[in-house]
Amino acid sequence: MSKDSYHVAVVGATGAVGVEMLQCLAQRGFPVGKLSALASARSAGKSLDFGDKKVTVEELTADSFAGVDIALFSAGSSLSAEFGPHAVEAGATVIDNSSAFRMDDSVPLVIPEVNPQAAREHKGIIANPNCTTIVTLMGLYPLHREFGVKRIVASSYQAVSGSGAQGIAELKEQVDLLAKGEHQVHPNIYPRQIAFNVIPIVETITENGYTKEEMKMQNEGRKIMDHADFQASTTCVRVPVYRSHAVAVSGEFEKTITVDYAREVLEASPGLEVMDDREHALFPTPLDSTNKDDCLVGRLRSDLVFDNGLSFFIVGDQVRKGAALNAVQIAELLVS
């Protein structure tokens, strides 16, 4: 796929990730010759910003992909499963942000800084990993490449924007009510009050007691790193933060790993910024990574439980690098 400009479709263009995809395409100068912004019938006719231009939203149908070269999907797994094949049949390459195709053996699961070669092995569809997996592997994979990761224990601190615009609205509403002296709020999106609280993410618990969200770290990590023996014990938690996920990771490695050597490896890794100033207690926070392309890693220290172990803390904007930017970077691989 190599030409001067491309017909790009963004499916789910009015959602948080869809809007971010439009921003990333414009900001990174992707060679868009024609842009189709697709969404539900109720959003058709709306106007969205695309750089210094405006684009009108069109209704998503099975016939929306005529002439489309690349289709960026962020409309949920059911719509991806329904309309993704229509896009491929029309000749487009689909880059899908949902979970619909991630564990399909015929579909590459790609983080461009980790396994860019996999993007060229697609059969019409390329999957974007889970946002927490992306943020974690941005720090873990460079260490794996150098030291060989065996297993990790991880805890994620996931922002409410991971639940979409409604998660942000619920947190804001609850904070406003409590600040006005209300003593009780009525959760809607979340099972418990999210304001001034943290909530284990337990939407779907599997037979082993872990949730589907928690198992993604191991299952997707194995596929992306091509590492069938990788093990991950993960606890996912929703926190009262608007944007950007954080993950605390303790890993065990095959080779001897030191903090200084690990820092050198991480500092040389693309898409990653080391923020690890012990003297001034300067370490990454979600606010530091919000609206940034790079993930930030710090709190580097030898793990006290694992042999050849290292613990670290990594943050990343899950709407951007954890979703929209990663998809656009995959598109850049296809046209490079």
Side-chain angles (χ1 to χ4, degrees), residues 5 11 21 40 67 82 103 131 155 167 186 200 202 216 226 233 253 268 301 326:
S5 63
V11 180
M21 285 175 170
S40 65
E82 179 180 356
M103 300 314 298
C131 51
S155 295
H186 301 284
V202 292
K216 289 174 184 177
D226 191 22
S233 178
F253 297 84
R301 60 208 188 275
N326 200 76

Side-chain angles (χ1 to χ4, degrees), residues 8 24 28 38 47 63 133 174 207 215 243 263 268 284 289 293 303 306 317:
V8 178
C24 288
R28 296 173 69 86
L38 305 173
S47 181
D63 300 320
T133 302
Q174 290 181 4
E207 290 184 0
M215 291 306 300
R243 185 156 161 162
R263 182 180 287 107
S289 67
D293 290 351
D303 188 80
F306 286 138
D317 187 327

Side-chain angles (χ1 to χ4, degrees), residues 102 129-136 158 162 213 220 245 318 322-323:
R102 287 176 185 157
N130 172 262
C131 51
T132 308
T133 302
I134 291 176
V135 171
T136 303
Q158 300 182 208
E213 179 77 5
E220 295 183 15
H245 288 355
Q318 94 289 351

Side-chain angles (χ1 to χ4, degrees), residues 199-214:
I199 307 172
I201 301 175
V202 292
E203 281 92 343
T204 308
I205 299 179
T206 65
E207 290 184 0
N208 64 7
Y210 287 81
T211 67
K212 286 186 176 181
E213 179 77 5
E214 290 165 341

